[in-house]
Amino acid sequence: MPPEPRYLAIAAELRRRIEQGELVPGAKVPSTRRIAAEWGVAAATAAKALAALKQEGLIRAEPRSGNVVEGPSRTAATKPAHRPVPRGRPEDLTRGRIVQAAIEIADNEGLAVLSMRGVAARLGVAPMSLYRHVAGKDQLVRLMADAAFGERGYPAQPPTGWRARLELCARTLWSLYRRHPWLAQLSPITRPLPLPNLAVHAEWALAALDGLNLGAAAMCDLHVLFFSHVQGIAVHLEREQQALGASGVSEDEWMDSQAPTLEAIIGTGRYPTFARVLTTLSAEGYDLILDDLFDLGLRLLLDGLATRIHRMAG
């Protein structure tokens, strides 16, 4: 009897992990590169194992996380039947309902597809009825951003120390960008949006820096640098979602498709360090995880600020 194909054995092991709860619903599944390194197989074999699990409905491609374990409520057997959008009445419209509907569209489909007509369709009303509550898309986007930034605040009693306060601010903002990836796309740091709920986060960060013997310009620079780190990493949440939607190719599949080009670049011998790093990462199954990059950058920023404060105090 011929041996079982390698990809089926890998799929069986991952299936076991899912069924026994080692990989819970929503958990990130090992990427093709990590599977290839762990089992010592080619990337194509790893991709076939993941494809088998997708066909079984055990995993799904998540734009911001790669392949994740499918939750019971998302499987084909339990997906709700499609229902037509109920017709709404213009007199029942409120600005709050319009903003919430727009946020749901941006969360699920991206900010680029947001339109007044799409919001109206979601609410089951005529597009012109929206203009009684908002002047247009630009105002709607600002209202959406203000509402999103206001979803999470800070405790009345702040934690002790500037570092703990800044870290709480960074993680709060990151959680909001994670929930609403389109937020990071709105404006450059040179043109900050004058939003009351965004000012809440600015106030918390600046208050953490206050009393450290910093001038107003230094406080502003540090705050912008701090905010830019969070926003700069978060920008790629929406971009990956857009790339997946436009191409239908996952992050892992795209990286695999670039392998011949990368090998040709490495093969020139002109980039020895780059070649060594890529070869090692390929062997070890490296995954680029935005949450990890956020954590690393935050620690380095806070460590650098701590060094500066120590020198000033000395």
Side-chain angles (χ1 to χ4, degrees), residues 3-4 6 28-29 32 45 52 61 69 79 120 163 171 173 236 242 244 253 260 278 298 314:
E4 180 182 46
R6 193 77 172 108
K28 185 175 174 62
V29 179
T32 55
T45 301
V69 177
K79 283 183 180 177
R163 181 165 186 146
R171 297 195 181 282
L173 285 169
H236 301 287
Q242 292 171 346
L244 178 60
E253 292 167 339
L278 282 187
L298 178 60

Side-chain angles (χ1 to χ4, degrees), residues 16 47 53 63 65-66 72 76 129 151 175 224 239 280:
R16 181 196 65 77
L53 294 176
S65 304
S129 63
E151 288 180 358
S175 70
V224 171
R239 288 181 179 176
T280 302

